[in-house]
Amino acid sequence: MTAGEEEQQLPIASNDDVVRARRLVRSLAQECGLSLVDQTKLVTAVSELARNTLVHGGGGSMRVCCPQERGRRGVRAVFEDSGPGMADPEQALTDGWTTGDGLGLGLGGARRLADHFELETAPGSGTRVTVTKWVR
Amino acid sequence: MPDGDVNGARLVELLTARREQLVTEWVEKAVPTVRGRLGELELRQELGELYEALLGGVRDARNPSDLHDDAFGEARALLAEISRSRARHGFTPWETAVGLFALKDVVLTAVDPGGRNAEYLAFLDFSRLLDAVGLFTFETYTRAREQVINDQAEQLLELATPVVKLWEGVVAVPLVGTLDSARTQVVMEKLLQALVDTGSEHAIIDITGVPAVDTQVAQHLLKTVVAARLMGAECIVSGIRPQIAQTIVALGIEFGDIVTKASLADALRHALRSTGVQVDAPAPSLEA
């Protein structure tokens, strides 16, 4: 039960790091016993958020851990960057809204893919996104 | 430390007594080399720890210039950690080493304040040149190795995306692994070329081997399909497993009127049907 409970950190500075982040989260999710569907959902959310950290935040870091709350186990990933932040988080969460050339579904999609989603941001002070998926 | 090494002892004394000042000066000299990729506080902590570890090694090692001595164990661990983190932040080996070499200037100024000993200074210049010589060979070496790795990655890119002809008029690309922009470009080029070369009107893109379909992968897939359509070919995306289907729905990605199938076999059947080939009938016996 102790495996993966300590926090691991990974810098997000290149596309390779996005792949690394996905792999790390997938192995943790398997270890924690998430179902295949939930594993895939979490890994996809992580992929979106890691790419956001890289593209919009100018790079940052990801911290992952396997928290235990009220008898449940889960996997939590926290993405932090010190990029420009967002003036209007609600707008950023709207499907189809993008400042880059993507589909504009990443952030809102990540919220729908995760069980718990938290977005902390302000213009000029970076962005922190937390996603958690619990074992059912 | 060996007995009777008076000069060595004096150096250890000096390094111990003026550690604060020396570390501060070291950090000041090292700050320009990190060019903002690392905070000054972080750098200070890193170099401060390394300084203490080096000092401990110089004090206790049998031979104070042998980094492989047991007494330098902690210093080696810290150096490995620093090198890894620098590499991750995109520092070149050169930049990393120059930041560490800065300690030499700092210590020399402390040993010989005001530069009274001209020979010291001349030697320091020469020593800097030798450092640069060593680093130059080292950087050339790493660059050559990186070139090899890049070449291999490119070859793998080519290898990993075969376009196969499944039937008259039907080609397929089985995708395996991560689908990034570079990969998509290769896939698209090869697929479009194969459509021309084989005169095919149907292309199947099989994503069974793609572990996760996020918005970027989907966007790349959609672009490839649109490009194939412009050439008059119909694309089918196959290999949509249950977990991928659920993820795509949650993400809100629309595949529009693009035909998608669960398996490559389904996709092939669909393609054959629309080309008019009878597939559902039992296989005819071999007699004429």
Side-chain angles (χ1 to χ4, degrees), chain B residues 69-219:
Chain B
D69 192 296
D70 284 346
F72 283 107
E74 197 193 335
R76 287 197 303 269
L78 283 170
L79 282 169
E81 185 58 39
I82 290 173
S83 313
R84 268 197 293 270
S85 111
R86 291 289 194 281
R88 276 301 186 72
H89 282 91
F91 285 70
T92 63
W94 186 291
E95 290 171 318
T96 310
V98 165
L100 300 178
F101 286 157
L103 181 60
K104 284 208 289 198
D105 292 20
V106 169
V107 173
L108 179 75
T109 322
V111 171
D112 179 27
R116 276 182 301 243
N117 195 334
E119 272 174 33
Y120 267 4
L121 289 180
F123 178 73
L124 188 72
D125 276 342
F126 187 61
S127 145
R128 272 199 206 108
L129 174 67
L130 286 184
D131 291 343
V133 167
L135 277 174
F136 184 79
T137 61
F138 181 66
E139 277 225 323
T140 313
Y141 174 80
T142 18
R143 206 170 300 138
R145 287 249 299 231
E146 267 168 19
Q147 187 62 44
V148 171
I149 295 171
N150 282 343
D151 288 350
Q152 284 172 342
E154 251 166 60
Q155 284 169 11
L156 208 61
L157 208 63
E158 296 277 319
L159 270 183
T161 48
V163 180
V164 290
K165 184 174 164 183
L166 289 185
W167 205 271
E168 203 51 52
V170 186
V171 289
V173 220
L175 292 177
V176 176
T178 307
L179 199 60
D180 56 15
S181 311
R183 206 45 212 294
T184 318
Q185 195 57 38
V186 175
V187 170
M188 206 191 286
E189 275 168 23
K190 289 184 99 175
L191 178 62
L192 299 184
Q193 192 56 46
L195 288 174
V196 175
D197 293 346
T198 61
S200 299
E201 288 196 337
H202 289 274
I204 302 173
I205 303 175
D206 186 75
I207 58 166
T208 309
V210 179
V213 177
D214 60 10
T215 54
Q216 194 188 46
V217 172
Q219 197 178 17

Side-chain angles (χ1 to χ4, degrees), chain A residues 69-89:
Chain A
E69 263 175 45
R70 282 174 269 145
R72 303 184 292 180
R73 261 197 117 187
V75 182
R76 174 173 295 150
V78 185
F79 295 84
E80 275 171 315
D81 66 60
S82 41
M86 306 169 203
D88 187 353

Side-chain angles (χ1 to χ4, degrees), chain A residues 11 22 40 47-48 51 101 112, chain B residues 178 214-216 219 250-251:
Chain A
R22 275 206 299 262
T40 311
S47 185
E48 300 295 345
R51 195 168 298 109
D101 56 1
R112 288 188 292 272
Chain B
T178 307
D214 60 10
T215 54
Q216 194 188 46
Q219 197 178 17
L251 270 178

Side-chain angles (χ1 to χ4, degrees), chain A residues 10-80:
Chain A
L10 194 76
I12 308 281
S14 70
N15 271 315
D16 293 348
D17 291 329
V18 178
V19 178
R20 270 187 212 108
R22 275 206 299 262
R23 285 223 304 264
L24 176 62
V25 170
R26 186 179 288 278
S27 71
L28 266 185
Q30 280 165 354
E31 228 173 86
C32 288
L34 284 180
S35 72
L36 186 58
V37 172
D38 286 344
Q39 276 175 34
T40 311
K41 283 185 174 175
L42 180 65
V43 168
T44 309
V46 162
S47 185
E48 300 295 345
L49 296 174
R51 195 168 298 109
N52 280 352
T53 302
L54 180 68
V55 175
H56 303 292
S61 68
M62 175 184 85
R63 286 180 288 129
V64 281
C65 60
C66 292
Q68 230 166 348
E69 263 175 45
R70 282 174 269 145
R72 303 184 292 180
R73 261 197 117 187
V75 182
R76 174 173 295 150
V78 185
F79 295 84
E80 275 171 315

